[in-house]
Amino acid sequence: MLGKIKALLKEIEEAAPVTLAELEEFRIRYISKKGLISQLFSDFKDMEPGLKKEVGKALNELKSATLDKISRLKESMEETDDRSAGLDLTAPGDSTGLGSRHPLSVVRNKIIDIFGRQGFTVAEGPEIEDDWHVFSALNFPAEHPARDMQDTFFIEKNPDVLLRTHTSSVQIRVMERTQPPIRAIFPGRVFRNEAISARSHCLFHQVEGLYVDENVSFADLKQTLLYFARELFGEEVSIRLRPSYFPFTEPSAEMDVSCSICGGKGCALCKYTGWLEILGCGMVDPNVLEACNIDSRKYTGYAFGMGIERTAMLLYGVRDIRLYFENDVRFLRQFQSAI
Ligand code: PHE
């Protein structure tokens, strides 16, 4: 009898019911009226009185150890059961899909990174501007067509509250508050009153660059832009500067890069010229420096400005500017980048 009790105690100690249902099975097996312990008790009744003392003690201990175990397990199961009812805590988690950066952000970040390596810092200015910062300080003549409602969004018909048409306004803001040396780029949104088509939009993004110091020359501008083009489009790219006109630069130029699709042989993207126009640039007009109280006899500078949409179109072969604003995930997902 003592041997049986010992074996049962060991079995009970080792049993490890996990759910409430298993615990109930455990209780029925040992404690219920027909359970194993109850059977031992009925066997006990028929025992010789001399042995009863020792066996009785062992049997009582077995029963109370079993009852203890049941109530302990029940308590802890009810606790965890409330919190995790119906949950499979071993199931793998749901993965949250990471989005990708918008292609315009990717290209803007690349541009900031490339000029950052050449010592350019980043500054920003307001999108709602006045005539001075967008036109007058930039040497636009009074009758310039950009000052017309046809080309510029004016707010509430007030000719002095308008949406900036280019990021050159930030040049003025920076030069007004800083004396040279100035070496910075200005990324931002710009607005033009244009019909929306595959090639143009009324809202787009530009990055402007400005370097003003003593002895800054056109050669410095060309070298900086060559480095930029090679970093963005690859070592093999060539650049070409064509004379152009902007009120705020003299001399002015437009820069082309050799076509990224055909490498200069001629294709539909470059309209069989082998070249793609990418930015406007030039030496800062002395009138602009003077408008910002910078001594134009002591300092010279260069400036350049490019459209981010256009640059991204050339870089990725995107044919329709509207794709950037529709935010169709099937389009956006195609641009994966570390920056
Ligand atoms: N602001 C000009 C534009 O919007 C670009 C430019 C910037 C040209 C700086 C020369 C120098 O087209």
Side-chain angles (χ1 to χ4, degrees):
M1 186 76 169
L2 276 174
K4 265 196 196 168
I5 293 174
K6 236 182 153 182
L8 210 53
L9 184 63
K10 188 163 182 268
E11 191 185 310
I12 287 169
E13 275 170 357
E14 282 170 5
V18 175
T19 59
L20 281 169
E22 283 172 18
L23 184 62
E24 178 61 7
E25 268 172 38
F26 174 87
R27 191 192 64 79
I28 292 167
R29 178 173 164 81
Y30 299 106
I31 301 286
S32 67
K33 275 196 182 132
K34 289 180 181 163
L36 294 171
I37 295 178
S38 311
Q39 275 172 31
L40 286 179
F41 270 104
S42 53
D43 294 350
F44 172 77
K45 281 187 202 134
D46 309 329
M47 278 183 75
E48 274 180 47
L51 294 172
K52 273 192 170 169
K53 193 174 174 213
E54 200 186 342
V55 174
K57 192 169 169 249
L59 208 50
N60 277 326
E61 277 170 10
L62 176 67
K63 189 172 178 183
S64 64
T66 311
L67 289 172
D68 272 1
K69 178 162 182 157
I70 291 173
S71 65
R72 230 184 321 113
L73 285 174
K74 195 165 178 205
E75 219 169 85
S76 76
M77 277 178 199
E78 279 170 351
E79 249 176 41
T80 46
D81 228 51
D82 286 344
R83 269 181 273 137
S84 59
L87 290 181
D88 177 1
L89 299 181
T90 62
D94 293 332
S95 63
T96 38
L98 267 189
S100 52
R101 247 186 242 290
H102 194 283
L104 296 179
S105 301
V106 172
V107 173
R108 182 201 54 206
N109 292 350
K110 280 182 195 244
I111 295 170
I112 291 175
D113 186 54
I114 295 168
F115 285 105
R117 276 182 258 140
Q118 299 188 90
F120 286 79
T121 53
V122 177
E124 281 178 17
E127 291 173 352
I128 300 175
E129 268 291 8
D130 51 29
D131 178 278
W132 172 256
H133 292 93
V134 178
F135 300 128
S136 296
L138 284 160
N139 204 31
F140 275 79
E143 67 285 1
H144 195 284
R147 291 186 139 139
D148 195 341
M149 297 268 281
Q150 306 270 290
D151 295 278
T152 301
F153 288 114
F154 290 89
I155 295 177
E156 291 169 3
K157 296 205 167 79
N158 180 343
D160 205 29
V161 186
L162 49 98
L163 298 180
R164 67 181 178 194
T165 55
H166 54 180
T167 43
S168 300
S169 54
V170 192
Q171 280 189 38
I172 302 302
R173 292 200 170 264
V174 169
M175 287 193 282
E176 277 175 339
R177 60 171 189 249
T178 343
Q179 281 296 309
I182 297 167
R183 198 199 302 245
I185 55 170
F186 320 121
R189 281 199 295 189
V190 300
F191 308 84
R192 287 185 196 176
N193 193 0
E194 272 180 43
I196 297 171
S197 71
R199 313 202 103 243
S200 65
H201 211 285
C202 57
L203 152 70
F204 60 102
H205 298 75
Q206 286 187 330
V207 178
E208 185 94 1
L210 176 71
Y211 178 33
V212 185
D213 202 349
E214 289 176 41
N215 299 318
V216 176
S217 73
F218 202 95
D220 298 323
L221 169 63
K222 188 174 176 188
Q223 189 55 42
T224 301
L225 294 178
L226 177 63
Y227 175 82
F228 163 69
R230 289 195 172 151
E231 289 295 300
L232 191 65
F233 293 102
E235 275 301 308
E236 320 72 43
V237 83
S238 321
I239 64 166
R240 152 177 111 165
L241 290 162
R242 279 182 291 104
S244 185
Y245 173 77
F246 300 101
F248 36 92
T249 46
E250 182 59 37
S252 305
E254 267 164 320
M255 184 174 101
D256 299 338
V257 290
S258 52
C259 178
S260 48
I261 301 291
C262 65
K265 285 190 209 76
C267 68
L269 181 68
C270 62
K271 299 207 198 82
Y272 301 94
T273 62
W275 296 97
L276 299 165
E277 185 194 317
I278 165 144
L279 56 78
C281 60
M283 300 306 291
V284 180
D285 193 294
N287 288 342
V288 175
L289 295 174
E290 294 295 337
C292 303
N293 288 321
I294 290 176
D295 186 348
S296 64
R297 280 158 308 169
K298 186 167 178 205
Y299 296 109
T300 51
Y302 64 66
F304 55 84
M306 72 190 91
I308 301 182
E309 280 79 0
R310 181 166 169 78
T311 308
M313 284 168 99
L314 300 182
L315 197 59
Y316 297 125
V318 173
R319 296 298 173 93
D320 193 324
I321 195 170
R322 292 169 291 197
L323 287 166
Y324 293 122
F325 300 96
E326 281 162 6
N327 286 332
D328 184 330
V329 288
R330 291 168 301 181
F331 172 70
L332 298 179
R333 267 199 203 119
Q334 297 175 47
F335 304 90
Q336 300 287 343
S337 168
I339 66 171

